């Protein structure tokens, strides 16, 4: 089989207890990752699970705060990607780094010290084609990059790495940009490279290709390696899907039963192009009601961003977008804002806030034109500061003052700032994209509670998320998107994590496996497809202690959490929620 | 892997309030030191030169009045640039807007648009001001519109339009409006002159010979207005927001295209008004060399003032002093040398505001 089966082989890569922290985000938490020569090792996980971060630590882009990296048994410490290259590690990024107007060979030679002076391009052309042949890569070394297809450009990136003598290759979602035949060709190349003793790390979302090409698999979730599998052949797509999504604690979120009210948002045959002018939305029809959380599931890049932008007026589209009877398609964002649309954008820093403006400046972004902040032509900074001060307390935004610049806030506080701004305007419709991504558990719960509260108030909420647990626990209905289509819409009773996972990878609802294969809610003790999976799934720390003996399904309600976790124990449920959501102010004093 | 230079820059989160002022003043002082070294290298005594500089620009009321005359267009242009830069619109076309403003203001006299003998002086001047501002605004509209609608780079457009404006003016002063073949128009009648201090010498003898004209009042009023716009108005908030993060501004429902055009027009109008004050207050005719690169100096002024409207006034006066002094010393390029070095240093000193300079300790370097 693979080299890894050899008893005394030295691992090509050994990463031990890697911990990498960004301000406010624990991207990798004591992750172990081992890879042998001749092995294709897949890294599976949702967006933000820490796959790319881990690999960037291996390529010297980030330096882990703790942990050890060994390459071929030798301990290393990389200060820059150059160090990693010197140790034979190369990475093919999702976005290519090629010079459009230069030839394949020229691109491969860029950055090398040889030749020092004078370039006998012909000689190097031959070298490049010889190298390409060796691995069965088809490429014309004299072609210029702009003449090449995306797949061919990717081959140039691979050759660039091979030319530098790399024997450890990292591919970051390499098939995301490829057409199916190109993807097949890439798979052959990868296998050929592995056969010649290269170690290949392969980051992917796509279950089928992981199964097709990988020898070994590591699953990352929320920055931790949750499972490592050696023999992939035993696994079905379903079990891989559940490995990736994981089973984890669904907090008891006090979601009250309520009937959705009248229709707030309706999309009719909406089509839109992405930034590359390729179709991103294809005939999307949706309908949202008062007091309903409508989840959108899907792997990143299947049209979710464009859907949000179309609704919020940031992207042109065809078709109709009705917000309470008014067509807001292709209207400027100011119009939909005035109609009661709140938008919690995916990119908090790039879109949601202005980094050098104060907290106040960011809070009044959408209401500088309303009294009392607006005072004829003037902006009433006293009133604005007062408003910001109130919201800062109410939403518990941690900042020295309302004059603090937004860029000094942590991710969680930035998100609170955005929520404070958006939710305090009593919206009719909230469009929230990835509202909890990158936040810590406390902040995540706060955000979710806020959304549920808005639901109770009768607001319609469109929730786009790649966190399936979030969707499952919050949504009344979930639509799954794949390549710009809505593959299917599931109602609250029919949520099934495996089915959703399959639909996310393009399986149509009618092609899903029969019901008994995938129990929705395994009762304790019952044999289920998940049991075996659960053996390998660890959860985050505070839950770990509460996990029943291996093999038991993990469903924990808030009451069962260790008491130390909950300083608000003894409060009524309602008080607890309010305290969590709105901060101290509400928990004390008035009866609300 | 060895790092060739054991220095690296670390982004700082906190910039103390006083630091920008200190670095700016420090940059100006350092510019004088460096210029002094260059002067010394050419054989001059820098202290003498600077003393002479001072006397030539601040040594008497007459000299100071001349300095203020030079400062007026700089103030107006600097304010316009400061507003545009706040939105990160790189309007370096103030020179062109200045010339078009001067041209349209001159048209009032040269066409003439009104009967110069019967129309009251205030009305002629008001009309010249209006047309000067309209000229600058329209000339600012062109790059604003192209940027807003077609996303064409405003730097290139404004830069090229400068040459167009200069040549357009040349056409008129060499041809149609030329006085006896010289490249200038006839002198404007007194009715079209902005009032000067010297005009009141009969009542206040101390004003005799002082050339300072009413343009300074426009400059001061404009500074107050720009201050109110930037720091008090809703529009100023929008401009600041767009400048800081255009994507956030768009998300918040602000019409960026419209504001791009508006800001360009206001910026241009101020430069156009500067052109008007120059022909009506200082030169009293339209000629080829009405501007000693005021348009470009205005860009520098705005930067040195860190886009603060009142700092623009102070920096403009300093630059006016350099301009006046440059008439008095040889070679006159020394002033521009100092200007250039100052700008270079002020812009470089920005690094100190955003980064901390750290030296890598040997231990870190050899961590491997």
């Amino acid at each position: 089989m693979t080299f890894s089966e050899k008893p005394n082989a030295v691992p090509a890569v050994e990463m031990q207890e890697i911990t990498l922290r960004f301000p406010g985000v624990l991207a990798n938490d004591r992750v172990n990752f081992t890879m042998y020569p001749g092995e294709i090792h897949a890294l599976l996980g949702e967006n933000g699970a820490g796959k790319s971060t881990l690999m960037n630590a291996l390529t010297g882009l980030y330096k882990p705060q703790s942990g050890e990296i060994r390459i071929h048994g030798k301990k290393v410490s990389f200060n820059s990607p150059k160090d990693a290259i010197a140790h034979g590690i190369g990475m093919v990024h999702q976005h290519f780094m090629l010079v459009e107007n230069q030839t394949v060979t020229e691109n491969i030679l860029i950055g090398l010290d040889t030749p020092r002076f004078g370039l006998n391009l012909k000689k190097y052309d031959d070298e490049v084609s010889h190298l390409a042949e060796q691995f069965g890569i088809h490429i014309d070394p004299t072609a210029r990059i702009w003449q090449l297809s995306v797949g061919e450009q990717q081959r140039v990136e691979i050759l660039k790495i091979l030319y530098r003598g790399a024997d450890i290759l990292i591919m970051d979602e390499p098939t995301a940009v490829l057409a199916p035949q190109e993807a097949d060709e890439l798979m052959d190349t990868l296998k050929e490279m592995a056969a010649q003793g290269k170690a290949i790390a392969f980051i992917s979302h796509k279950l089928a290709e992981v199964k097709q090409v990988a020898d070994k698999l590591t699953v990352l979730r929320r920055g931790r390696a949750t499972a490592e599998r050696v023999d992939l052949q035993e696994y079905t797509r379903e079990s891989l899907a559940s490995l990736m999504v994981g089973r984890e604690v669904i907090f008891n979120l006090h979601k009250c039963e309520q009937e959705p009210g009248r229709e707030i948002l309706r999309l009719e045959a909406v089509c839109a192009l992405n930034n590359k002018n390729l179709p991103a939305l294809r005939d999307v029809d949706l309908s949202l009601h008062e007091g309903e959380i409508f989840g959108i599931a899907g792997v990143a890049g299947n049209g979710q961003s464009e859907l949000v932008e179309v609704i919020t007026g940031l992207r042109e589209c065809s078709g109709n977008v009705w917000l309470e009877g008014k067509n807001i398609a292709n209207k400027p964002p100011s119009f939909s804002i005035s109609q009661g649309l709140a938008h919690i954008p995916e990119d908090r820093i790039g879109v949601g806030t202005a980094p050098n403006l104060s907290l106040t400046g960011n809070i009044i972004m959408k209401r500088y034109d309303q009294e009392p902040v607006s005072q004829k032509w003037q902006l009433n900074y006293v009133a604005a500061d007062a408003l910001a001060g109130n919201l800062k307390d109410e939403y518990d935004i941690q900042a020295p003052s309302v004059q603090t610049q937004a860029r000094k806030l942590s991710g969680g506080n930035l998100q609170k700032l955005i929520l404070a701004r958006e939710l305090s305007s009593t919206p009719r419709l909230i469009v929230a994209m990835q509202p909890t991504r990158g936040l810590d558990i406390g902040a995540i719960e706060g955000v979710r509670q806020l959304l549920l509260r808005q639901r109770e108030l009768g607001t319609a909420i469109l929730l786009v998320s790649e966190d399936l647990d979030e969707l499952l626990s919050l949504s009344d209905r979930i639509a799954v998107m794949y390549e710009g289509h809505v593959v299917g819409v599931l109602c609250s009773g029919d949520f099934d994590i495996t089915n959703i996972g399959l639909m996310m990878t393009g399986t149509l609802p009618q092609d899903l496996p029969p019901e008994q294969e995938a129990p929705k809610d395994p009762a304790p003790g019952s044999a289920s497809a998940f049991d075996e999976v659960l053996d390998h799934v660890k959860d985050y720390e505070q839950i770990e202690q509460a996990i029943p003996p291996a093999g038991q399904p993990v469903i924990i309600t808030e009451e069962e959490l260790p008491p130390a976790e909950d300083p608000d124990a003894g409060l009524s449920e309602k008080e607890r929620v309010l305290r969590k959501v709105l901060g101290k102010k509400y928990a004390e004093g008035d009866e609300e | 892997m060895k790092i060739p230079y054991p220095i690296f820059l670390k982004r700082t989160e906190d910039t103390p309030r006083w630091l920008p002022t200190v670095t700016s003043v420090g940059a100006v002082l350092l510019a004088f030191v460096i210029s002094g070294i260059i002067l010394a290298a050419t054989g001059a005594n820098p202290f003498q030169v600077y003393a002479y500089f001072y006397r030539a620009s601040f040594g008497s009321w007459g000299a100071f009045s001349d300095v203020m005359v030079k400062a007026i267009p700089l103030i107006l242009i600097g304010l316009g640039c400061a507003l545009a830069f706040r939105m990160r619109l790189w309007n370096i076309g103030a020179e062109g807007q200045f010339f078009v403003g001067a041209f349209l203001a001159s048209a009032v006299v040269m066409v003439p648009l009104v009967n110069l003998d019967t129309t009251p002086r205030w009305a002629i001047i008001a009309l010249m001001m209006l047309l000067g501002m309209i000229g600058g605004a329209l000339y600012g509209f062109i790059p604003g519109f192209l940027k807003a609608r077609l996303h064409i780079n405003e730097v290139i457009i404004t830069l090229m339009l400068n040459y167009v404006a200069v040549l357009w003016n040349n056409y008129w002063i060499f041809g149609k409006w030329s006085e006896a073949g010289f490249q200038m128009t006839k002198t404007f009648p007194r009715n079209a002159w902005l009032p000067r201090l010297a005009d009141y010498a009969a009542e206040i003898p101390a004003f005799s010979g002082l050339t300072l004209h009413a343009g300074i009042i426009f400059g001061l009023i404009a500074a107050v207005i720009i201050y109110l716009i930037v720091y008090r108005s809703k529009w100023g908030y929008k401009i600041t927001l767009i400048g800081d993060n255009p994507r956030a501004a768009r998300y918040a429902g602000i019409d960026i295209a419209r504001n791009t055009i508006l800001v360009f027009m206001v910026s241009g109008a101020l430069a156009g008004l500067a052109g008007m004050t120059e022909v009506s207050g200082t030169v009293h005719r339209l000629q080829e060399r009405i501007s000693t690169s005021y348009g470009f100096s205005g860009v520098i002024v705005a930067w040195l003032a860190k886009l603060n409207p009142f700092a623009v006034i102070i920096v403009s006066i300093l630059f006016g002093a350099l301009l006046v002094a440059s008439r008095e010393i040889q070679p006159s390029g020394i002033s521009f040398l100092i200007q250039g070095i100052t700008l270079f240093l002020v812009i470089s000193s920005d690094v100190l505001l955003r980064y901390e300079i750290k030296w890598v300790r040997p231990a870190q370097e050899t961590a491997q």
Side-chain angles (χ1 to χ4, degrees):
Chain A
M1 280 219 41
T2 59
F3 282 57
S4 55
E5 306 297 311
K6 291 182 185 168
N8 52 0
V10 178
V13 176
E14 232 182 327
M15 298 176 87
Q16 280 172 351
E17 300 276 305
I18 298 293
T19 298
L20 230 154
R21 201 175 282 114
F22 299 113
V25 185
L26 187 58
N28 284 155
D29 183 8
R30 287 167 285 145
V31 177
N32 293 320
F33 177 78
T34 308
M35 189 160 73
Y36 289 86
E39 176 180 286
I40 300 180
H41 194 138
L43 269 163
L44 202 60
E46 296 171 278
N47 267 57
K51 300 166 299 202
S52 299
T53 310
L54 185 70
M55 288 300 108
N56 282 327
L58 186 55
T59 54
L61 216 55
Y62 301 143
K63 208 169 172 167
Q65 272 89 17
S66 72
E68 224 179 78
I69 302 175
R70 289 173 186 277
I71 303 297
H72 298 299
K74 219 181 93 206
K75 194 182 168 216
V76 294
S77 162
F78 297 147
N79 285 315
S80 78
K82 270 195 167 173
D83 297 357
I85 291 166
H87 282 86
I89 299 170
M91 180 156 176
V92 176
H93 293 269
Q94 267 176 300
H95 303 283
F96 303 146
M97 296 157 188
L98 297 169
V99 184
E100 294 265 301
N101 288 327
Q102 294 202 331
T103 69
V104 171
T105 305
E106 283 167 340
N107 268 280
I108 288 170
L109 294 178
I110 283 173
L112 291 178
D113 281 345
T114 49
R116 266 223 168 310
F117 194 79
L119 177 59
N120 181 358
L121 208 52
K122 181 79 188 62
K123 181 184 135 211
Y124 290 97
D125 281 345
D126 290 344
E127 266 183 40
V128 168
S129 29
H130 184 250
L131 184 71
E133 246 167 62
Q134 192 189 334
F135 293 99
I137 298 170
H138 305 289
I139 195 90
D140 171 13
T142 60
R144 287 175 198 281
I145 298 301
W146 60 267
Q147 299 168 319
L148 303 180
S149 73
V150 179
E152 288 169 314
Q153 293 185 19
Q154 189 178 53
R155 288 175 216 159
V156 179
E157 288 281 9
I158 295 174
L159 280 171
K160 232 162 108 177
I161 294 170
L162 292 174
Y163 191 85
R164 282 156 178 74
D167 52 8
I168 297 163
L169 281 89
I170 303 161
M171 312 283 298
D172 190 358
E173 291 188 41
T175 56
V177 289
L178 299 184
Q181 322 85 287
E182 282 182 325
D184 286 342
E185 233 175 289
L186 173 69
M187 295 299 148
D188 291 340
T189 305
L190 292 182
K191 282 180 177 164
E192 182 57 40
M193 291 194 294
Q196 296 188 29
K198 310 267 180 207
I200 299 163
F202 181 83
I203 301 177
S204 180
H205 273 131
K206 296 184 185 167
L207 307 170
E209 65 188 32
V210 167
K211 224 172 117 51
Q212 183 191 340
V213 76
D215 304 308
K216 228 173 139 186
L217 167 72
T218 293
V219 181
L220 280 175
R221 203 148 49 78
R222 300 239 169 118
R224 300 199 63 179
T226 52
E228 190 169 315
R229 309 265 76 212
V230 177
D231 198 353
L232 278 162
Q233 300 318 310
E234 299 169 8
Y235 278 78
T236 59
R237 281 181 68 178
E238 288 78 10
S239 51
L240 281 177
S242 45
L243 262 179
M244 169 171 139
V245 165
R247 286 292 287 180
E248 66 177 36
V249 179
I250 297 172
F251 282 104
N252 197 346
L253 272 167
H254 316 298
K255 189 171 131 192
C256 64
E257 289 297 319
Q258 64 181 44
E259 281 298 307
R262 59 195 176 81
E263 191 178 66
I264 298 283
L265 178 76
R266 188 164 81 237
L267 270 67
E268 290 172 345
V270 171
C271 297
L273 302 176
N274 65 12
N275 290 339
K276 288 179 189 154
N277 281 330
L278 299 170
L281 291 179
R282 307 161 201 247
D283 282 323
V284 172
D285 298 302
L286 289 176
S287 166
L288 241 86
H289 297 83
E290 273 179 332
E292 179 186 45
I293 297 184
F294 190 94
I296 302 279
V299 172
N302 277 290
Q304 301 98 311
S305 309
E306 287 82 2
L307 177 70
V308 166
E309 286 171 357
V310 160
I311 296 171
T312 52
L314 295 170
R315 185 174 291 273
E316 288 180 6
C317 67
S318 65
N320 296 316
V321 181
W322 301 96
L323 177 62
E324 290 199 291
K326 290 189 176 129
N327 195 345
I328 57 169
N330 300 318
K331 290 266 168 53
S334 54
F335 181 74
S336 46
I337 292 169
S338 71
Q339 297 302 308
L341 184 140
H343 177 195
I344 299 162
E346 180 181 24
D347 186 351
R348 276 162 224 155
I349 297 166
V351 176
T353 50
N356 293 310
L357 261 57
S358 64
L359 212 95
T360 303
N362 277 284
I363 285 282
I364 60 170
M365 221 184 241
K366 288 185 175 176
R367 63 177 77 174
Y368 61 86
D369 223 4
Q370 295 165 17
E371 303 240 345
V373 177
S374 160
Q375 211 171 56
K376 293 184 187 138
W377 60 271
Q378 279 194 70
L379 206 145
N380 185 340
Y381 277 94
V382 178
D385 281 342
L387 172 77
N390 284 340
L391 290 174
K392 177 175 176 293
D393 292 342
E394 191 178 329
Y395 286 81
D396 193 26
I397 302 166
Q398 303 289 326
S401 82
V402 291
Q403 304 301 337
T404 309
Q405 289 171 316
R407 67 186 164 87
K408 291 178 188 159
L409 299 183
S410 72
N413 282 308
L414 214 54
Q415 188 71 329
K416 281 187 202 164
L417 162 64
I418 292 170
L419 286 162
R421 180 180 67 219
E422 299 300 316
L423 302 186
S424 62
S425 61
T426 56
R428 299 294 296 140
L429 170 69
I430 298 169
V431 177
M433 181 140 190
Q434 305 279 20
T436 62
R437 178 151 84 187
L439 303 184
D440 59 49
I441 294 172
I444 288 173
E445 289 310 307
V447 171
R448 291 181 184 168
Q449 299 284 12
L450 279 170
L451 290 178
L452 283 176
R453 204 179 132 72
Q454 286 291 326
R455 172 178 175 268
E456 280 167 38
L457 293 171
T459 315
I461 299 166
L462 186 81
L463 173 67
V464 181
S465 179
E466 279 156 40
D467 183 340
L468 281 185
D469 295 314
E470 176 165 285
L471 288 175
L472 291 176
S473 54
L474 293 181
S475 308
D476 296 290
R477 286 188 293 156
I478 294 178
V480 183
M481 287 191 74
Y482 181 72
E483 294 194 337
H485 295 285
V486 171
V487 184
V489 179
L490 303 170
C491 290
S492 190
D494 304 330
F495 291 166
D496 180 291
I497 210 161
T498 313
N499 283 350
I500 291 174
L502 285 174
M503 283 161 78
M504 277 165 65
T505 48
T507 315
L508 293 171
Q510 57 265 31
D511 300 333
L512 290 174
E515 195 70 12
Q516 76 277 7
E517 289 293 318
K520 290 164 206 154
D521 201 31
S526 75
S528 79
F530 293 114
D531 285 356
E532 197 181 349
V533 171
L534 285 168
D535 290 351
H536 305 281
V537 174
K538 293 176 205 153
D539 257 300
Y540 27 90
E541 285 151 291
Q542 82 265 36
I543 286 101
E544 241 165 2
Q545 327 155 21
I547 291 180
Q552 296 289 316
V554 187
I555 297 167
I556 297 171
T557 58
E558 247 179 27
E559 286 76 13
E560 285 164 8
L561 282 172
E565 274 305 306
D566 192 354
D568 299 344
L571 296 172
S572 80
E573 218 144 69
K574 192 172 180 185
E575 281 171 321
R576 206 179 313 167
V577 171
L578 283 174
R579 170 170 284 202
K580 212 170 216 170
V581 174
L582 302 171
K584 292 200 297 290
K585 192 181 147 200
Y586 274 75
E588 296 156 5
D590 49 11
E591 62 286 86
E592 236 294 276
Chain B
M1 194 69 207
K2 285 261 158 60
I3 301 164
Y5 304 102
I7 294 176
F8 71 97
L9 298 173
K10 184 170 171 283
R11 256 203 116 86
T12 50
E13 284 303 309
D14 277 294
T15 308
R17 277 180 172 269
W18 49 264
L19 194 60
T21 317
V22 170
T23 55
S24 294
V25 173
V28 172
L29 290 179
L30 191 59
F32 275 97
V33 171
I34 293 176
S35 309
I37 293 169
I38 296 171
L39 285 174
T42 60
N45 177 348
F47 296 103
Q48 254 176 9
V49 173
Y50 289 149
Y52 201 81
F53 255 66
Y54 180 81
R55 250 179 291 132
S57 43
F58 297 109
S60 69
W61 283 111
F64 185 63
S65 159
D66 282 355
V67 167
M68 293 304 286
V69 168
K70 293 281 177 195
I72 290 166
L74 290 176
I75 293 172
L76 290 166
I77 291 170
L79 288 170
C81 289
L83 185 74
F85 293 170
R86 184 159 284 271
M87 205 173 126
R88 305 223 178 134
L89 287 178
W90 309 122
N91 176 20
I92 50 171
E95 185 84 356
Q97 292 143 16
F98 174 93
F99 270 108
V100 173
F103 167 78
L104 272 194
S106 303
V108 173
V109 178
M110 297 310 297
V111 173
L113 294 176
V114 288
N115 187 327
L116 297 171
D117 298 323
T118 55
T119 317
R121 185 176 180 183
W122 66 265
I124 295 175
I125 289 173
L127 186 62
M128 288 175 80
M129 286 172 66
L130 185 71
L131 281 177
M133 289 170 73
I134 289 176
L138 287 179
Y139 217 55
F141 173 82
I142 300 170
F145 180 82
L146 291 174
K147 165 118 180 141
R149 300 287 169 218
L150 303 171
H151 304 289
I152 294 176
N153 185 320
E154 74 273 24
V155 175
I156 304 296
I157 298 292
T158 51
L159 193 62
M160 301 310 271
L161 282 177
N162 287 338
Y163 300 108
V164 176
V166 170
L167 292 172
W168 170 259
N169 262 18
N170 282 351
Y171 168 76
W172 291 90
I173 57 184
F174 278 85
K176 275 222 178 293
W177 291 350
S178 166
E179 191 189 31
F182 293 106
Q183 55 269 38
M184 56 176 73
T185 66
K186 64 175 192 199
T187 305
F188 294 170
R190 288 222 159 227
N191 252 0
W193 291 18
L194 280 172
R196 299 195 288 191
L197 288 181
D199 296 349
Y200 302 96
E203 292 94 48
I204 309 167
F207 283 178
S208 119
L210 297 186
T211 51
L212 180 59
H213 57 78
I216 189 66
I217 300 168
F218 306 162
L220 296 177
I221 293 174
V224 173
I225 291 175
I226 295 293
Y227 174 83
L228 290 175
I229 287 178
V230 170
Y231 295 103
R232 289 276 172 270
S233 75
K234 289 187 276 185
W235 189 39
Y237 170 75
K238 286 195 250 187
I239 291 171
T240 312
L241 180 57
I242 296 171
D244 194 40
N245 186 353
R247 290 172 71 202
R250 181 159 174 259
Y251 153 84
I254 292 169
D255 188 338
I256 295 178
R258 190 168 157 241
N259 282 298
T260 301
I261 295 173
L262 269 177
V263 166
F264 248 115
M265 289 180 74
V266 172
S267 184
L270 284 167
L273 182 61
M276 178 270 171
T277 63
E278 205 56 18
V279 290
S280 168
T282 311
V283 192
H284 303 135
R285 54 154 58 107
L286 186 63
Q287 62 183 35
E288 195 183 7
R289 290 189 58 91
I290 44 170
S291 161
T292 37
S293 321
Y294 285 134
F296 297 109
S297 300
V299 171
I300 306 176
V301 165
W303 265 120
L304 283 176
K306 304 268 181 205
L307 314 187
N308 179 315
F310 295 122
V312 163
I313 295 176
I314 295 168
V315 176
S316 296
I317 293 171
L318 283 175
F319 266 58
L322 282 177
L323 285 173
V324 169
S326 72
R327 288 190 312 211
E328 307 277 334
I329 61 166
Q330 290 297 328
S332 63
I334 297 293
S335 289
F336 294 106
L337 174 83
I338 297 174
Q339 253 187 46
I341 294 176
T342 311
L343 178 71
F344 177 80
L345 289 172
V346 166
I347 289 176
S348 329
S349 74
D350 260 12
V351 167
L352 296 173
L353 301 183
R354 285 181 282 115
Y355 298 93
E356 265 176 77
I357 294 175
K358 296 232 166 182
W359 276 264
V360 180
R361 283 186 300 268
Q364 262 174 293
E365 205 183 344
T366 54
Q368 202 172 322

